[in-house]
Amino acid sequence: MSSLRNAISRRAHKERAQPSSRKKFGLLEKHKDYVVRAKAFHKKEETLRRLKEKAAFRNPDEFYFQMIKTRTVDGVHKPESQANKYTQEELMLMKTQDMGYILQKMQSEKKKIEKLTAVLHCVDNQPSNRHIYYAEDRQEARELYSQSSENRTPPSSADIPDHIKRKTATSYRELEARKSRVNELAKIYMEMSLKKELQKKGRKRKLREDELICPTSKPVFKWRSERKR
C-alpha cells in the first residue's frame, strides 16, 4: 500500500509570499531560512554556556607559560614577537638547507632540459636513410646514383600530422618555461649565497659606485683581508 501511496501524484504545497501590505519589511522568512537561523543561534548559545561553565570551574592556581608570553591589548591576547626565536647558528643551518633545496631543484630542471632538448633535436633533424649499393662498373654506378637522387625527396611539413605538430609546439613551450625557471632559480641561489656570506663573521663594507671596476646594479661587498693561521 505504501508503494501505491507514493505512486499517486500529490499537490506541492508552497509557502506563501510576503503580502503586498508588508512589502516594506522585505522577503518573508521561509521555514528553511528559520532552520538555518535557529541552528546558528543554538550553536552560539551552547558556546556561551561552555565558556561560562569553564569560567565557573576555573582553578585560580592554574599556570602555564603562555600566560607570561602574551599580553592583552583592548581585551585581545597578542603573543610576543618571535623575531629572535632562533640563534645565529640555527639560522645559518636553515639557510644552508634552503640553498641545498634550490640547488637540487635547479639540477633537476637542467637534466629535464637536456633530455627535452635531445628529444626535440631528434624530431627536428630526422636521420637520413643511408643505403650502400655496390656496382660492377662505372655505368651501373651512374644509374644507381641517378635513381637515388630521383627518389630522394626532402620531407615537407605538410606530411607531418597535426597532433605531432601540436605536441612539438607544446614541447618547445615547455622547454622555454623550464629554461626561464632555471634562470630564476639561479638568481635566487646567488641571492641566498650572498645573504649567507654576509651573515658570517668578518669585517666587510659595501663598495661605492666609483669603486666598482665593472658597474652593476647589484650590490658588491668587499671583505677585509685577515691573516689565517
Side-chain angles (χ1 to χ4, degrees):
M1 292 296 292
S2 61
S3 61
L4 292 175
R5 191 185 306 116
N6 293 332
I8 300 174
S9 61
R10 300 171 185 173
R11 179 181 177 184
H13 296 277
K14 299 179 181 179
E15 298 185 54
R16 67 183 181 88
Q18 185 75 284
S20 58
S21 59
R22 295 176 56 85
K23 287 289 185 182
K24 60 182 178 180
F25 297 109
L27 297 174
L28 182 65
E29 185 183 33
K30 303 299 189 294
H31 178 70
K32 60 180 181 179
D33 303 327
Y34 163 75
V35 170
V36 174
R37 185 168 59 85
K39 285 183 179 179
F41 173 77
H42 290 304
K43 184 177 179 181
K44 294 175 184 177
E45 194 177 33
E46 182 65 19
T47 303
L48 290 174
R49 187 191 66 78
R50 286 205 203 98
L51 291 175
K52 288 179 181 178
E53 184 178 353
K54 284 185 178 181
F57 292 99
R58 184 179 65 85
N59 183 8
D61 298 330
E62 181 181 7
F63 172 78
Y64 53 97
F65 286 98
Q66 195 68 18
M67 291 180 177
I68 61 176
K69 293 183 179 179
T70 58
R71 56 193 180 91
T72 306
V73 179
D74 297 332
V76 179
H77 288 278
K78 291 188 175 181
E80 290 184 351
S81 177
Q82 299 181 353
N84 300 325
K85 182 179 179 181
Y86 302 102
T87 61
Q88 192 69 16
E89 290 76 12
E90 291 175 342
L91 290 174
M92 290 287 291
L93 178 60
M94 287 189 287
K95 288 277 186 184
T96 306
Q97 292 175 349
D98 294 341
M99 289 173 59
Y101 175 75
I102 294 295
L103 184 61
Q104 178 187 1
K105 295 298 292 182
M106 187 165 58
Q107 291 175 350
S108 175
E109 289 293 333
K110 286 182 179 179
K111 289 182 180 178
K112 291 179 181 178
I113 287 174
E114 291 177 0
K115 186 176 180 181
L116 196 58
T117 304
V119 172
L120 292 175
H121 180 72
C122 294
V123 170
D124 292 341
N125 301 323
Q126 291 290 345
S128 58
N129 297 325
R130 301 182 64 181
H131 298 278
I132 300 176
Y133 297 96
Y134 297 94
E136 295 292 339
D137 50 6
R138 294 181 179 274
Q139 182 65 25
E140 188 177 358
R142 293 193 191 95
E143 292 177 0
L144 291 174
Y145 182 77
S146 61
Q147 290 178 4
S148 62
S149 60
E150 291 176 0
N151 296 331
R152 190 184 305 162
T153 55
S156 61
S157 59
D159 300 336
I160 303 176
D162 293 337
H163 67 279
I164 299 296
K165 293 180 181 179
R166 288 195 296 268
K167 286 185 178 180
T168 306
T170 305
S171 300
Y172 273 111
R173 287 196 296 269
E174 181 184 356
L175 180 62
E176 293 300 325
R178 291 192 182 278
K179 285 182 178 179
S180 61
R181 194 177 302 132
V182 166
N183 294 334
E184 292 295 329
L185 289 173
K187 291 180 182 178
I188 295 173
Y189 182 77
M190 293 298 294
E191 291 176 0
M192 294 177 69
S193 301
L194 178 60
K195 289 181 181 179
K196 181 183 175 182
E197 292 296 329
L198 292 175
Q199 287 181 348
K200 291 182 179 180
K201 296 180 181 179
R203 297 183 61 181
K204 50 192 171 292
R205 67 182 182 89
K206 184 179 179 181
L207 297 181
R208 300 188 302 272
E209 293 184 1
D210 55 349
E211 296 177 344
L212 296 176
I213 300 176
C214 299
T216 177
S217 59
K218 297 181 180 180
V220 180
F221 293 87
K222 182 179 181 180
W223 272 259
R224 182 179 178 181
S225 59
E226 296 181 0
R227 181 180 179 183
K228 302 294 183 181
R229 292 185 179 180

